[in-house]
């Protein structure tokens, strides 16, 4: 599923939505297409529009300021580019560096993307106890970094 960037009426980036949701917002006249995919079109019985890549809301939406990006399993996988922090292969799960049973929580700095095999092998131990060093250290992305990661850009601080 392709993600579409949503801009506020003031051209500030707000979030990303699925392509289908972006088309619905445009068809409901709640947003206008600012940039579209060059070769992709959305067609229906009475509709033929270019597939939106960037849309702008018609009305300004007030958004409270966020200092931190909210933690999520999907966010950790996206932050780590779906690469296992232990072996570098494709990651499908999230592993806690300090296991929850030892007091570790669901935080950006305590979770890494992991393949199922390494997650199972590490089990209920820290990387040091399991003899499995991390290839890269976890970090907390800013809200702007999280949005760039969701869009698939590499322009963030690692």
């Amino acid at each position: 599923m392709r993600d579409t960037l949503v801009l506020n009426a003031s051209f500030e980036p707000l979030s990303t939505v699925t392509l289908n949701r972006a088309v619905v917002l445009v068809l409901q006249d709640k947003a206008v297409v600012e940039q579209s995919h060059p070769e992709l079109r959305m067609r229906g019985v009475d509709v033929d529009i270019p597939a939106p890549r960037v849309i702008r809301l018609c009305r300004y939406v007030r958004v409270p300021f966020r200092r931190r990006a909210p933690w999520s399993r999907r966010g950790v996988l996206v932050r780590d580019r779906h690469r296992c922090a232990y072996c570098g292969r494709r990651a499908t799960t999230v592993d806690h560096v300090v296991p929850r049973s030892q007091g570790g929580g669901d935080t950006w700095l305590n979770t890494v993307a992991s393949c199922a095999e390494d997650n199972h092998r590490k089990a209920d131990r820290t990387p040091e106890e399991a003899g499995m060093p991390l290839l890269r250290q976890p970090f907390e992305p800013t809200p702007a970094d999280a949005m760039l990661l969701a869009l698939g850009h590499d322009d963030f601080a690692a």
Side-chain angles (χ1 to χ4, degrees):
M1 199 45 85
R2 297 177 190 261
D3 282 329
T4 302
L5 176 63
V6 179
L7 303 176
N8 210 339
S10 59
F11 291 90
E12 299 167 288
L14 286 179
S15 66
T16 59
V17 295
T18 64
L19 183 58
N20 289 341
R21 178 67 180 140
V23 170
V24 169
L25 289 170
V26 170
L27 292 177
Q28 291 178 338
D29 293 324
K30 293 182 179 182
V32 295
V33 177
E34 290 295 330
Q35 184 182 28
S36 60
H37 292 280
E39 299 167 1
L40 217 63
R41 297 195 66 80
M42 302 300 285
R43 292 187 173 98
V45 175
D46 297 323
V47 178
D48 184 11
I49 63 171
R53 183 179 282 168
V54 179
I55 61 173
R56 181 177 47 86
L57 298 178
C58 294
R59 295 177 54 121
Y60 180 80
V61 176
R62 188 182 167 285
V63 181
F65 178 72
R66 269 198 173 147
R67 290 185 188 271
R68 306 176 76 179
W71 180 91
S72 68
R73 297 176 73 81
R74 180 181 180 275
V76 172
L77 288 168
V78 170
R79 176 198 67 187
D80 294 349
R81 294 185 181 97
H82 294 271
R83 292 285 155 221
C84 179
Y86 301 107
C87 68
R89 291 183 305 193
R90 178 130 177 95
T92 55
T93 64
V94 171
D95 181 55
H96 291 79
V97 177
V98 175
R100 284 190 276 193
S101 63
Q102 295 182 22
D106 292 337
T107 65
W108 287 109
L109 300 178
N110 190 48
T111 51
V112 293
S114 173
C115 64
E117 295 84 16
D118 285 343
N119 197 343
H120 182 72
R121 189 164 57 108
K122 180 180 160 286
D124 198 16
R125 302 174 290 178
T126 64
E128 294 79 26
E129 292 170 346
M132 299 172 63
L134 291 169
L135 297 176
R136 60 191 162 279
Q137 292 299 312
F139 66 95
E140 182 174 349
T142 66
D145 291 340
M147 189 176 306
L148 287 172
L149 285 166
L151 287 169
H153 292 275
D154 294 334
D155 309 333
F156 62 93

